[in-house]
Amino acid sequence: MLNFAPMQTEQKYFEDDVFKERLMINVNADKRELSSNIRAARAILNSFPDVTIIINAHSYTIGIKNPEYTVNEKLGDRKGIMSEKGVTAGFKSAKKQGCKVVVIDLDEHIWLVRPFELSKYISRRKADFEQGLIEACYVVFNGEAVCVNAKEQTRREIESIINELKP
């Protein structure tokens, strides 16, 4: 009789050159998105000194996109949206992945932040926050980040916070 033991996989990480142990990168992280993931993570860490981020190992399961981050011990994913309308799809995708944190990365495809439009789409996700499906939303732009929460903030408050990202 064959005896199969579950495969033990040891997680190995390396420290980021800039943020050291606050940004740990799995050696099996997705290489195609690694530079974007590091860039956005550094923006968050630069803006929030009490945050730690792990860039997770990439999953090679077909049809399953695994969360890229663990932010303060909660699963999170970076969404490089093409426009403010991408917030809706980004939140839906993050929820399917089991994420509690959504990182809206404007630096990936957007050259101009429009706080009114962005706050409108984030505030429409209020139910996600109220139901505890999403706990935090970081918005990254121009190497900086802000954190918003539609459960605790009105659309106008979210707009004001996002306005802080304007150069």
Side-chain angles (χ1 to χ4, degrees), residues 56-152:
N56 298 323
H58 182 62
S59 170
Y60 293 98
T61 306
I62 296 173
I64 296 178
K65 185 166 178 351
N66 61 304
E68 290 146 334
Y69 295 138
T70 301
V71 180
N72 287 346
E73 300 182 9
K74 293 179 174 41
L75 286 179
D77 203 44
R78 182 185 63 80
K79 305 299 181 184
I81 61 173
M82 302 295 276
S83 75
E84 293 85 354
K85 293 179 182 179
V87 167
T88 302
F91 269 71
K92 287 180 180 179
S93 172
K95 290 187 312 185
K96 284 183 186 176
Q97 294 172 276
C99 294
K100 296 288 185 184
V101 177
V102 178
V103 177
I104 302 296
D105 183 5
L106 302 179
D107 284 339
E108 188 78 8
H109 302 290
I110 297 176
W111 302 101
L112 175 69
V113 64
R114 299 186 314 171
F116 178 83
E117 287 296 311
L118 193 55
S119 65
K120 179 172 66 173
Y121 285 98
I122 293 172
S123 66
R124 289 179 182 169
R125 307 311 309 169
K126 183 173 182 149
D128 295 337
F129 289 95
E130 289 178 336
Q131 294 168 8
L133 300 171
I134 300 295
E135 295 179 15
C137 175
Y138 291 92
V139 179
V140 173
F141 181 69
N142 204 23
E144 296 184 14
V146 293
C147 186
V148 296
N149 183 322
K151 176 181 178 182
E152 300 167 0

Side-chain angles (χ1 to χ4, degrees), residues 32-60:
R32 295 169 298 162
E33 296 184 4
L34 188 57
S35 62
S36 294
N37 288 337
I38 290 172
R39 177 191 40 74
R42 285 177 175 168
I44 294 168
L45 296 174
N46 188 48
S47 299
F48 296 93
D50 58 335
V51 171
T52 59
I53 297 177
I54 296 171
I55 297 179
N56 298 323
H58 182 62
S59 170
Y60 293 98

Side-chain angles (χ1 to χ4, degrees), residues 15-20 23 25 42:
E15 287 182 357
D16 177 59
D17 295 339
V18 177
F19 286 96
K20 306 297 180 202
L23 177 55
I25 303 160
R42 285 177 175 168

